[in-house]
């Protein structure tokens, strides 16, 4: 079978004999490989290998100097033996000797051996470095390439020290051959990733950026990987690459499929380079220059259009390459998150793929839609595909595709469709693959909790969960249902009734017994009036499960029994009987025995008053992060967690700020889920150990990947003026999401720190400071756990009180150690004066009356400016609502204009504000006027808002 | 295109080629190889070609008796990775002429050299088939001038 051609051809020619050895032909090696293949057993193989090793060792040790060819052959055999999985502890020196041979083949084998087998054995590294140095200065392009490859393959610190300053020179030198340039660019990238401190681009920066213009497509392809990596670390220094990348992309996208000759891949022009260009652009915000942006939008539209054209070839390679570009373009559109048209088109395109006959495309469409669901512009569009996604969950043959469908359902869930989605997920659970059940259970539990408007539905859902997938319901899930039932008195009676009914099933899961025991012990009295669920019936029902349960559940039941004695004195005799019997009071388990003894004693000697005090109903649980959410975070890999988490926050932002259904008072009332949903609460969450990611910790050492940041101040993304939730900051290591709520002059901000790596951050500390006059804020920080495990996310809560109006923003400083390097960054927090707005509804006459009252010149601030963003009515309305004011209809005589009114609440005073925004679509201009009862507020709001439109 | 490793193994789980683009200890390599072979070989036919594994994406494709399994970083493009594999198969095919598993077994060093011309440090160095082939042929030319090699004894 191993002589089947890898590429299937429609030809009746018989399979050829494999080229046993091509090129120089080391016959000895071929014979050895044949021998190994003919070995009938593992033992025979080991025997043959040991014989060979002995032979090679004696040759290397022998008196006779070996010629180059023999040395090469033996080194190659050693390499083969190593690749079979056997240890090799000699031959390194011979391989190093080969490096200085002037015969290409010997050198090549030497370098291959070094690349595969040498780690940082410092003795050898010095010799190897010498050989590399010679080859780099040889001006022989083939030798230079071999040397560069070796540096990239080994990539050790010593090599970086020796060559990091030399390689940029080779890369930009005018007389360097193209192939050497390509190798140099990627070699430098490798060194930059391992030892960023040693690679100083400084003077080379602009010449490296200009490699994007190189005539040779191969050079551009290699260089752009380097440029992308450098841009991620030093975006400002490399920002000129944006316009170069856009024009290069535009030339490729508009070229005919034959223009690029061999860089056209199955009729698709330069797919790799196109994707890399699109990826590079994702390191930057949308281009500021209108012409560049226009050109880029055109490219993106062309790519979307091409997806609709009939394919130029039936080969899967054609469609893969074309769609690879399409998906990368969609990633860029999602990254910009500012072009509603493109977002909706992207969503429609993915919608088509959801039904595509190719499994790969369905998988990718589901995956990509998950991120689209987080954009306020496309969330609704994603939701229209709900039926298709549900269908995928039910019918896809491949479990990994079903998994993506479940992820997407989770991401697209909001209050409007929660019941449907939860119901579908529950019914899927009945047949779901074992590998994904636990995660599904957590997701259902989270959605049910998050979107529960009616708690009886929540209780039903969780009990169903236990019924359907009891084994996969972790402690966190059933703890949580109990916490919620205890904290909400409107659902306790229903919960008691429902668990009572559920327990009547002949076989019920032990988790059900736990929940039932706990809830009846607390709230059994609420259903005791019905003779069908009288105290004794309840007790007998619980006790009928007792013998089938494990020790911890029995312990829980014993506690429920003593609670029964308090709730229902009439059950006392029966229960004391149970406690007194040998199987309890003499139980071999210490815990059970102790409970039985103590409860029996307590019930017989304590007065009713004492009993009532000791066995009082549980007090409400302090609100904290939903324990199940923490569990899900712990379970999933790094990317997935932070994405879903922030998706949620972003989407809520969409609802609060962007949706048209926001009443004037929603800003001041927390949404109904607020007290139910632990993620809004104040206690910090312990960082979960990243069990899943820990293996990779030392495997893929990214230690040198990130240079120590020299603490640049990261400015505030201006979109947060009109938005309360979203991703505040993201780099390769860390993602910071925020969610905030404001009420009167108080605010609360939740900061989510997501570790995107698989490695733990050490000494993670955060501080908030209010520079200068900004003492107007009182900020109290809750302390964080000092570790952010790989892949984990932790949250922190910040309370804010606005004392008086202000213009600067508080600063958040974050310090932690990653792979030994101290990371230090400072961000502005998006706390702006408008956050403390209360909307004010008023009629047209009121509005203009007040407008006139605020007529002192310093009370007014006005600005006329060019539109920087879409002038679309819905977008504008969403922004104005996001500002926090009431958007008043039928007030301005000109229907094109927008007027808003609100009161800014500070501790000391209230500042009334009126706003008028007059768009001029033809000129693409706005006039913005603010009149406030305090002049500093007018000026500040005017500054803030002028950047928004 | 940040790639972490490329593995070639047969349907029986025999490793034919391993290329690691970042430094990893031998112990971890063995563990990853075990994980990859068992995971990929367990997949049903006509499943999608992508898997999530730890914080990486695994892209695999079967060509006749051989599985090609490429690990890329999480934000990378799956379809493009699939075509990286295909381009490598094409390069092997062009060099060996109707490449088959045995070619790769007996000429493993050549398979590495071809890969090195195409990829470097986990990034794509040259996507043009002609360009890669030209450099491979050029290096073969350097070899074939060494006629002396042919007259050497086998052992």
């Amino acid at each position: 079978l191993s002589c089947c051609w890898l590429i299937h051809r429609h030809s009746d020619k018989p399979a050829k004999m494999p080229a046993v050895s091509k090129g120089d032909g080391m016959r000895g090696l071929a014979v050895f490989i044949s021998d190994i293949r003919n070995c009938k057993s593992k033992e025979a193989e080991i025997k043959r290998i040991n014989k060979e090793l002995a032979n090679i060792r004696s040759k290397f040790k022998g008196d006779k100097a070996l010629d180059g060819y023999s040395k090469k052959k033996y080194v190659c055999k050693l390499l083969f033996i190593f690749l079979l999985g056997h240890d090799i502890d000699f031959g390194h020196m011979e391989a190093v000797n080969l490096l200085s041979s002037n015969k290409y083949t010997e050198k090549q084998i030497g370098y291959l051996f070094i690349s595969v087998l040498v780690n940082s054995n410092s003795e050898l590294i010095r010799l190897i470095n010498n050989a590399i140095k010679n080859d780099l200065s040889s001006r022989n392009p083939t030798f230079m390439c071999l040397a560069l490859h070796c540096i990239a393959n080994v990539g050790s610190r010593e090599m970086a020290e020796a060559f990091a300053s030399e390689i940029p020179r080779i890369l930009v030198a005018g007389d360097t051959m193209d192939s050497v340039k390509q190798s140099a660019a990627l070699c430098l990238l490798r060194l930059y990733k391992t030892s960023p401190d040693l690679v100083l681009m400084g003077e080379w920066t602009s010449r490296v950026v200009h490699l994007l213009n190189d005539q040779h497509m191969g050079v551009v392809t290699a260089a752009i990987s380097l440029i992308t990596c450098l841009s991620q670390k030093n975006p400002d220094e490399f920002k000129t690459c944006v316009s170069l990348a856009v024009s290069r992309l535009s030339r490729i996208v508009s070229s005919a499929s034959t223009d690029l000759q061999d860089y056209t891949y199955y009729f698709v022009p330069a797919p790799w380079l196109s994707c890399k260009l699109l990826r590079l652009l994702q390191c930057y915000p949308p281009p500021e220059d209108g012409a560049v942006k226009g050109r880029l939008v055109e490219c993106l539209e062309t790519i979307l259009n091409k997806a609709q054209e009939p394919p130029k070839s039936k080969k899967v390679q054609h469609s893969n390459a074309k769609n690879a570009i399409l998906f990368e373009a969609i990633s860029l559109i999602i990254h910009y998150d500012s072009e509603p048209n493109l977002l909706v088109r992207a969503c429609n395109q993915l919608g088509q793929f959801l039904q595509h006959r190719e499994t790969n495309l369905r998988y990718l469409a589901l995956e990509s839609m998950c991120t689209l669901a987080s954009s306020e512009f496309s969330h609704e569009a994603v939701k229209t595909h709900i039926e298709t996604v549900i269908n995928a969950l039910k019918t896809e043959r491949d479990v990994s595709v079903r998994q993506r469908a479940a992820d997407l359902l989770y991401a697209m869930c909001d209050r409007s469709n929660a019941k449907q989605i939860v119901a579908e997920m529950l019914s899927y659970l009945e047949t779901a693959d074992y590998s994904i059940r636990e995660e599904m259970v957590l997701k259902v539990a989270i959605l049910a909790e998050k979107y529960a408007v009616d708690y009886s539905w929540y209780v039903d859902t969780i009990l169903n969960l236990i019924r359907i997938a009891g084994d996969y319901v972790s402690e966190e899930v059933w703890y949580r249902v109990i916490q919620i039932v205890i904290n909400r008195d409107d659902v306790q009676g229903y919960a008691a009734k429902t668990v009572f009914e559920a327990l009547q099933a002949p076989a019920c899961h032990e988790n059900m017994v736990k929940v039932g025991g706990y809830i009846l012990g607390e709230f059994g009295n609420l259903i005791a009036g019905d003779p069908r669920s009288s105290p004794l019936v309840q007790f007998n029902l619980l006790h009928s499960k007792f013998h089938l349960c494990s020790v911890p559940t029995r312990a829980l039941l014993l506690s429920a029994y003593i609670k029964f004695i308090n709730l229902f004195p009439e059950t006392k005799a029966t229960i004391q009987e149970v406690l007194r019997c040998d199987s309890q009071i003499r139980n071999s388990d210490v815990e059970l025995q102790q409970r039985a003894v103590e409860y029996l004693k307590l019930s017989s000697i304590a007065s009713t008053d004492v009993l009532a005090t000791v066995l009082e109903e549980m007090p409400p649980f302090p609100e904290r992060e939903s324990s199940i959410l923490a569990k899900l975070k712990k379970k999933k890999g790094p990317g997935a967690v932070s994405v879903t988490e922030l998706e949620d926050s972003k989407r809520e932002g969409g609802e609060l700020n962007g949706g048209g259904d926001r009443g004037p008072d929603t800003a001041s009332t927390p949404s109904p889920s607020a007290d139910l949903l632990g993620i809004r609460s104040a206690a910090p969450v312990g960082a979960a150990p990243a069990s899943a990611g820990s293996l990779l910790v030392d495997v893929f050492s990214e230690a040198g990947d990130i240079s120590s940041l020299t603490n640049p101040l990261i400015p505030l993304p201006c979109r947060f003026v009109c938005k309360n939730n979203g991703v505040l900051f993201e780099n390769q290591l860390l993602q910071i999401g925020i969610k905030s709520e404001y009420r009167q002059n108080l605010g609360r901000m939740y900061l989510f720190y997501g570790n995107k790596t698989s490695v733990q951050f050490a000494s993670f500390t955060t501080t908030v400071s209010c520079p200068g006059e900004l003492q107007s804020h009182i900020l109290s920080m809750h302390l964080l756990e000092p570790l952010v495990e790989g892949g984990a996310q932790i949250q922190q809560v910040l309370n804010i009180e606005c004392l008086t109006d202000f213009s600067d923003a508080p600063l958040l400083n974050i310090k932690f150690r990653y792979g030994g390097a101290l990371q230090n960054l400072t961000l502005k927090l998006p706390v702006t004066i408008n956050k403390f707005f209360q909307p004010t509804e008023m009629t047209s006459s009121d509005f203009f009356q007040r407008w006139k009252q605020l007529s002192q010149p310093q009370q007014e601030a006005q600005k006329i400016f060019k539109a920087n963003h879409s002038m679309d009515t819905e977008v504008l309305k969403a922004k104005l609502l996001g500002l926090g004011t009431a958007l008043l209809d039928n007030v301005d005589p000109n229907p094109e204009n927008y007027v808003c009114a609100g009161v800014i609440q500070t501790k000391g005073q209230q500042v009334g504000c009126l706003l008028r925004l007059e768009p001029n679509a033809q000129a693409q201009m706005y006039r913005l006027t603010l009149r406030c009862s305090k002049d500093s507020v007018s000026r500040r709001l005017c500054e803030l808002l002028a950047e928004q439109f | 295109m940040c790639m972490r490793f490329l593995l070639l193994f047969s349907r029986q789980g025999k490793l034919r080629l391993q290329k690691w683009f970042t430094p990893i200890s031998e112990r971890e390599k063995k563990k990853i190889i075990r994980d990859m072979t068992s995971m990929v070989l367990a997949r049903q036919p006509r499943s999608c070609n992508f898997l999530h594994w730890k914080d990486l994406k695994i892209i695999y494709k079967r060509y006749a008796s051989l599985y090609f399994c490429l690990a890329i970083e999480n934000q990378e493009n799956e379809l493009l990775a699939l075509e990286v594999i295909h381009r490598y198969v094409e390069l092997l095919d062009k060099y060996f002429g109707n490449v088959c598993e045995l070619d790769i077994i007996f000429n493993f060093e050549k398979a590495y050299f071809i890969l090195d011309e195409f990829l470097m440090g986990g990034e794509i160095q040259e996507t043009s088939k002609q360009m890669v082939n030209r450099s491979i042929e050029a290096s073969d030319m350097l070899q074939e001038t060494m006629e002396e090699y042919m007259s050497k004894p086998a052992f």
Side-chain angles (χ1 to χ4, degrees):
Chain A
L1 270 175
S2 45
C3 25
C4 284
W5 302 336
L6 299 188
I7 298 184
H8 179 72
R9 288 190 178 73
H10 295 283
S11 138
D12 12 87
K13 274 195 288 179
K16 63 161 182 129
M17 282 306 289
V20 163
S21 195
K22 210 176 151 164
D24 59 314
M26 287 178 281
R27 214 153 58 81
L29 176 66
V31 172
F32 175 58
I33 295 175
S34 290
D35 283 0
I36 294 290
R37 282 178 55 73
N38 291 333
C39 286
K40 295 278 184 289
S41 66
K42 195 78 199 163
E43 291 70 39
E45 184 184 306
I46 291 173
K47 210 172 146 203
R48 177 68 185 88
I49 284 171
N50 285 336
K51 182 179 154 205
E52 192 63 40
L53 286 175
N55 171 41
I56 299 173
R57 204 175 266 126
S58 75
K59 295 281 184 201
F60 283 168
K61 278 197 182 144
D63 309 330
K64 212 171 70 190
L66 283 179
D67 58 63
Y69 169 79
S70 311
K71 222 183 265 175
K72 177 184 93 162
K73 186 181 69 186
Y74 294 130
V75 165
C76 209
K77 280 183 180 175
L78 287 177
L79 187 57
F80 180 79
I81 294 171
F82 177 78
L83 290 171
L84 278 178
H86 302 268
D87 290 335
I88 295 294
D89 54 5
F90 69 103
H92 299 72
M93 208 52 195
E94 284 72 15
V96 173
N97 286 342
L98 286 177
L99 297 185
S100 37
S101 160
N102 52 10
K103 295 203 176 89
Y104 180 74
T105 48
E106 291 170 11
K107 206 186 260 300
Q108 198 182 23
I109 294 289
Y111 272 123
L112 180 61
F113 184 93
I114 302 291
S115 303
V116 175
L117 260 112
V118 169
N119 18 47
S120 28
N121 180 335
S122 60
E123 276 304 302
L124 278 180
I125 287 282
R126 218 160 349 108
L127 294 172
I128 297 168
N129 278 359
N130 267 338
I132 292 177
K133 199 164 283 166
N134 288 337
D135 281 336
L136 280 185
S137 50
S138 70
R139 310 184 68 82
N140 173 338
T142 9
F143 287 8
M144 287 171 90
C145 283
L146 280 180
L148 289 167
H149 266 285
C150 182
I151 299 173
N153 277 323
V154 178
S156 67
R157 180 87 195 166
E158 290 90 335
M159 284 199 176
E161 276 164 1
F163 303 109
S165 55
E166 174 66 13
I167 298 171
R169 224 187 305 276
I170 299 178
L171 175 59
V172 296
D175 57 349
T176 305
M177 298 268 293
D178 288 331
S179 61
V180 179
K181 271 190 196 169
Q182 287 167 272
S183 300
L186 293 176
C187 181
L188 194 57
L189 170 60
R190 186 80 230 127
L191 291 187
Y192 185 74
K193 285 184 172 178
T194 43
S195 314
D197 53 316
L198 294 177
V199 178
L200 302 168
M201 293 312 291
E203 50 183 319
W204 313 114
T205 303
S206 101
R207 291 168 79 180
V208 170
V209 171
H210 276 87
L211 288 174
L212 286 176
N213 272 340
D214 202 284
Q215 290 203 317
H216 189 287
M217 296 275 275
V219 171
V220 189
T221 310
I224 193 170
S225 298
L226 174 67
I227 295 168
T228 305
C229 181
L230 292 169
S231 299
Q232 281 164 349
K233 310 287 165 60
N234 328 284
D236 281 344
E237 285 167 48
F238 283 83
K239 64 171 183 277
T240 46
C241 70
V242 172
S243 60
L244 293 181
V246 170
S247 58
R248 190 93 210 194
L249 179 68
S250 157
R251 267 180 286 159
I252 297 175
V253 168
S254 56
S255 64
S257 52
T258 50
D259 288 357
L260 303 175
Q261 292 153 359
D262 205 35
Y263 290 91
T264 295
Y265 181 80
Y266 290 87
F267 303 101
V268 180
W272 281 281
L273 183 52
S274 304
C275 286
K276 285 184 172 196
L277 288 162
L278 289 162
R279 170 56 50 86
L280 172 60
L281 292 169
Q282 288 171 57
C283 303
Y284 288 92
E288 282 155 19
D289 181 327
V292 177
K293 185 165 183 202
R295 209 162 168 200
L296 176 56
V297 169
E298 225 168 77
C299 288
L300 294 172
E301 278 168 347
T302 312
I303 294 171
L304 286 166
N305 292 341
K306 280 190 180 170
Q308 298 299 325
E309 287 169 11
K312 293 196 174 75
S313 153
K314 283 198 177 116
K315 287 249 164 67
V316 68
Q317 285 77 23
H318 170 72
S319 76
N320 279 352
K322 192 166 136 182
N323 291 327
I325 299 173
L326 179 62
F327 276 105
E328 207 58 63
I330 290 176
S331 294
L332 182 62
I333 293 170
I334 296 172
H335 167 77
Y336 286 163
D337 198 14
S338 62
E339 300 285 332
N341 277 339
L342 291 175
L343 279 161
V344 169
R345 282 194 68 184
C347 186
N348 293 340
Q349 181 61 53
L350 294 178
Q352 287 182 18
F353 285 155
L354 285 182
Q355 320 233 27
H356 203 277
R357 63 188 164 77
E358 273 228 29
T359 316
N360 285 346
L361 285 178
R362 296 198 300 278
Y363 174 97
L364 294 175
L366 289 166
E367 187 178 62
S368 188
M369 259 200 188
C370 261
T371 34
L372 266 184
S374 67
S375 164
E376 56 194 280
F377 300 111
S378 49
H379 179 68
E380 288 303 315
V382 170
K383 275 167 64 185
T384 58
H385 298 288
I386 185 167
E387 297 302 335
T388 320
V389 182
I390 287 173
N391 197 39
L393 185 66
K394 287 178 175 163
T395 58
E396 283 290 349
R397 292 157 41 114
D398 180 351
V399 56
S400 37
V401 184
R402 291 198 294 274
Q403 172 95 60
R404 295 285 88 76
D407 286 349
L408 178 54
L409 281 180
Y410 180 75
M412 66 160 69
C413 191
D414 61 22
R415 200 150 289 131
S416 72
N417 54 22
K419 285 202 173 170
Q420 184 188 7
I421 286 179
V422 166
E424 290 297 346
M425 284 179 138
L426 270 177
S427 78
Y428 173 62
L429 254 180
E430 307 209 26
T431 54
D433 316 75
Y434 295 106
S435 55
I436 65 172
R437 278 194 185 185
E438 188 179 352
E439 195 182 313
M440 290 286 294
V441 166
L442 288 172
K443 285 183 165 166
V444 170
I446 288 167
L447 293 177
E449 175 179 336
K450 193 165 179 180
Y451 298 113
V453 187
D454 114 44
Y455 292 95
S456 49
W457 173 72
Y458 170 73
V459 169
D460 285 342
T461 305
I462 301 297
L463 293 186
N464 268 328
L465 212 48
I466 297 176
R467 201 174 298 139
I468 294 169
D471 282 345
Y472 297 89
V473 173
S474 55
E475 285 186 339
E476 287 85 352
V477 173
W478 74 261
Y479 287 173
R480 189 68 189 157
V481 68
I482 285 169
Q483 283 174 12
I484 287 172
V485 169
I486 289 193
N487 289 8
R488 307 219 42 115
D489 46 18
D490 53 340
V491 75
Q492 290 160 356
Y494 181 81
K497 179 167 161 288
T498 321
V499 288
F500 178 78
E501 282 161 8
L503 286 173
Q504 293 187 317
C508 64
H509 195 273
E510 191 166 333
N511 279 333
M512 188 70 88
V513 179
K514 289 178 182 159
V515 175
Y518 203 106
I519 288 183
L520 292 180
E522 295 292 325
F523 309 114
N525 56 326
L526 300 176
I527 56 169
D530 188 327
R532 284 168 299 177
S533 53
S534 71
L536 263 180
V537 176
Q538 287 185 40
F539 171 74
N540 287 331
L541 180 60
L542 281 179
H543 198 54
S544 68
K545 316 282 180 195
F546 190 91
H547 309 281
L548 305 169
C549 294
S550 62
V551 168
T553 309
R554 289 186 190 194
L556 185 152
L557 284 177
L558 290 179
S559 298
Y561 297 169
I562 186 74
K563 289 225 156 194
F564 265 51
I565 294 183
N566 175 45
L567 286 180
F568 317 114
E570 67 266 39
T571 59
K572 185 169 168 179
T574 320
I575 291 176
Q576 282 181 331
E577 193 78 22
V578 169
L579 293 175
R580 203 176 290 125
C581 76
D582 273 0
S583 62
Q584 309 294 356
I585 212 158
R586 292 189 208 285
N587 195 297
S588 60
D589 184 90
V590 182
E591 177 69 27
L592 291 181
Q593 192 187 95
Q594 184 176 356
R595 285 196 193 207
V597 172
E598 287 178 1
Y599 292 162
L600 184 60
K601 207 70 185 160
L602 181 66
S603 66
S604 23
I605 58 171
S607 70
T608 11
D609 283 356
V610 172
L611 261 191
T613 316
V614 173
L615 301 171
E616 203 179 0
E617 190 178 302
M618 291 295 283
F621 285 86
E623 270 307 331
R624 52 173 172 252
E625 179 180 26
S626 169
S627 44
I628 43 179
L629 202 52
K631 167 97 175 180
L632 181 68
K633 284 173 192 165
K634 197 161 93 180
K635 247 190 96 53
K636 292 215 75 178
V641 184
S642 49
V643 170
T644 42
E645 193 40 50
L646 288 155
E647 264 163 28
D648 294 338
S649 54
K650 269 176 101 179
R651 172 147 28 81
E652 290 214 354
E655 280 172 355
L656 275 175
N657 300 329
D661 60 343
R662 173 186 185 245
D665 56 347
T666 34
S668 56
T669 30
S671 62
S673 65
D675 42 352
L676 169 62
L677 226 196
I679 52 169
R680 286 162 193 268
S681 56
V685 192
S691 50
S694 56
L695 173 78
L696 279 176
V697 171
D698 10 78
V699 185
F700 299 118
S701 162
E702 288 172 316
D705 206 291
I706 308 293
S707 59
S708 275
L709 290 169
T710 48
N711 195 12
L713 175 61
I714 294 148
L716 183 62
C718 74
R719 66 178 186 280
F720 281 103
V721 172
C722 295
K723 264 173 85 164
N724 285 336
N725 307 322
V727 178
L728 180 62
F729 172 78
E730 180 156 13
N731 65 11
Q732 286 188 309
L733 301 177
L734 180 71
Q735 185 187 52
I736 305 175
I738 59 157
K739 245 179 139 147
S740 38
E741 301 166 333
Y742 293 90
R743 182 177 193 172
Q744 310 283 358
N745 68 322
L746 300 177
R748 180 172 280 187
M749 184 177 284
Y750 300 89
L751 292 152
F752 300 90
Y753 302 94
N755 179 347
K756 293 168 66 179
T757 70
S758 42
V759 191
Q760 174 183 290
F761 293 163
S763 351
F764 191 90
T765 53
T766 58
T767 42
V768 169
S769 58
C770 301
E773 294 177 342
L774 198 64
Q775 302 303 335
S776 52
H777 293 211
I778 294 172
L779 298 153
S780 69
M781 298 285 290
H782 289 249
L783 285 175
L784 273 185
E785 295 280 323
L787 299 178
V788 184
E789 296 282 353
Q793 197 191 53
I794 51 174
Q795 76 163 323
Q796 189 174 36
V797 184
L798 183 62
N799 291 322
I800 304 155
E801 183 179 5
C802 175
L803 298 180
T804 177
D805 68 287
F806 59 93
S807 52
D808 226 338
L811 302 178
L812 171 68
N813 176 260
I814 299 156
K815 287 198 185 87
F816 59 92
R817 301 195 82 84
Y818 170 75
L822 181 68
Q823 308 291 322
N824 185 358
L825 60 142
T826 306
L827 307 157
K828 281 196 172 188
L829 283 174
V831 181
T832 46
I833 185 67
N834 64 294
K835 300 294 181 190
F836 302 95
F837 255 126
Q838 299 293 303
T840 319
E841 293 290 344
M842 54 179 79
T843 62
S844 178
S845 60
D846 281 348
F847 184 87
F848 284 105
Q849 195 192 348
R850 293 191 199 189
W851 186 263
K852 281 191 200 110
Q853 281 166 359
L854 297 169
S855 58
Q856 290 172 29
Q858 65 272 28
Q859 286 178 327
E860 181 181 283
Q862 191 175 70
K863 230 177 194 166
I864 297 170
F865 53 92
K866 246 191 139 37
N868 287 319
H869 302 281
S870 157
M871 292 186 83
D872 179 72
T873 322
E874 290 310 312
V875 176
L876 284 180
K877 279 186 177 168
K879 283 184 179 168
L880 288 167
L881 282 171
L883 185 64
T885 51
L887 178 57
L888 307 175
D889 285 332
N890 305 322
V891 167
D892 200 291
N894 179 352
E896 301 292 305
N897 294 347
Y898 301 88
V899 293
C900 301
V903 176
I904 288 184
Q905 306 271 353
T906 71
K907 192 175 182 213
Q909 67 181 137
Q910 302 193 334
V911 184
C913 306
L914 302 176
L915 174 158
R916 192 175 190 201
L917 181 68
E918 298 160 272
N920 179 341
Q922 225 168 2
Q924 291 282 304
M925 300 281 284
Y926 290 104
R927 181 165 72 178
L928 171 71
T929 315
L930 276 140
R931 287 189 176 189
C932 306
S933 58
K934 193 167 179 188
D935 40 350
S936 55
V937 175
S938 302
R939 284 198 306 274
R940 180 58 187 151
L941 283 174
C942 195
E943 281 165 24
L944 277 175
L945 289 176
E947 295 165 5
Q948 295 301 311
F949 300 104
Chain B
M1 184 100 236
C2 250
M3 293 171 252
R4 293 290 186 83
F5 56 81
L6 172 70
L7 303 178
L8 268 65
F9 48 83
S10 70
R11 253 188 319 174
Q12 293 74 34
K14 282 239 179 218
L15 193 64
R16 297 302 181 205
L17 184 137
Q18 44 174 317
K19 179 77 185 179
W20 308 90
F21 298 110
T22 46
I24 300 178
S25 75
E26 289 306 317
R27 220 183 77 235
E28 297 298 350
K29 283 181 189 172
K30 285 191 174 144
K31 185 162 168 24
I32 292 175
I33 292 167
R34 226 175 23 242
D35 278 8
M36 288 304 122
T37 43
S38 63
M39 208 166 76
V40 169
L41 293 174
R43 300 274 294 165
Q44 299 293 315
R46 279 193 306 276
S47 296
C48 76
N49 296 95
F50 318 128
L51 292 167
H52 279 250
W53 180 78
K54 306 280 167 70
D55 54 354
L56 299 178
K57 288 174 179 169
I58 307 300
I59 315 299
Y60 72 94
K61 188 160 181 180
R62 184 179 156 179
Y63 286 87
S65 55
L66 261 194
Y67 283 89
F68 289 68
C69 171
L70 179 64
I72 57 176
E73 286 181 6
N74 217 341
Q75 73 284 359
E76 295 293 342
N77 192 315
E78 291 97 336
L79 289 173
L80 211 55
L82 211 45
E83 296 317 300
V84 167
I85 293 177
H86 188 75
R87 176 51 38 118
Y88 181 47
V89 175
E90 284 184 346
L91 291 169
L92 291 171
D93 194 62
K94 175 100 182 171
Y95 180 77
F96 289 108
N98 296 344
V99 67
C100 63
E101 193 181 337
L102 277 182
D103 289 321
I104 297 172
I105 296 171
F106 279 96
N107 300 279
F108 69 95
E109 80 284 9
K110 287 286 186 299
Y112 277 100
F113 296 148
I114 295 171
L115 189 63
D116 273 350
E117 292 294 335
F118 176 40
L119 306 177
M120 179 170 176
E123 296 284 341
I124 295 164
Q125 174 168 238
E126 179 55 84
T127 64
S128 158
K129 202 157 46 166
Q130 284 171 15
M131 289 297 199
V132 174
N133 276 311
R134 215 172 291 160
S135 7
I136 302 282
E137 276 161 23
S139 64
D140 267 356
M141 287 300 287
L142 285 172
Q143 297 182 351
E144 274 154 2
T145 54
M146 312 285 169
E147 278 176 3
E148 66 207 53
Y149 282 169
M150 305 312 287
S151 54
K152 295 283 174 188
F155 285 95

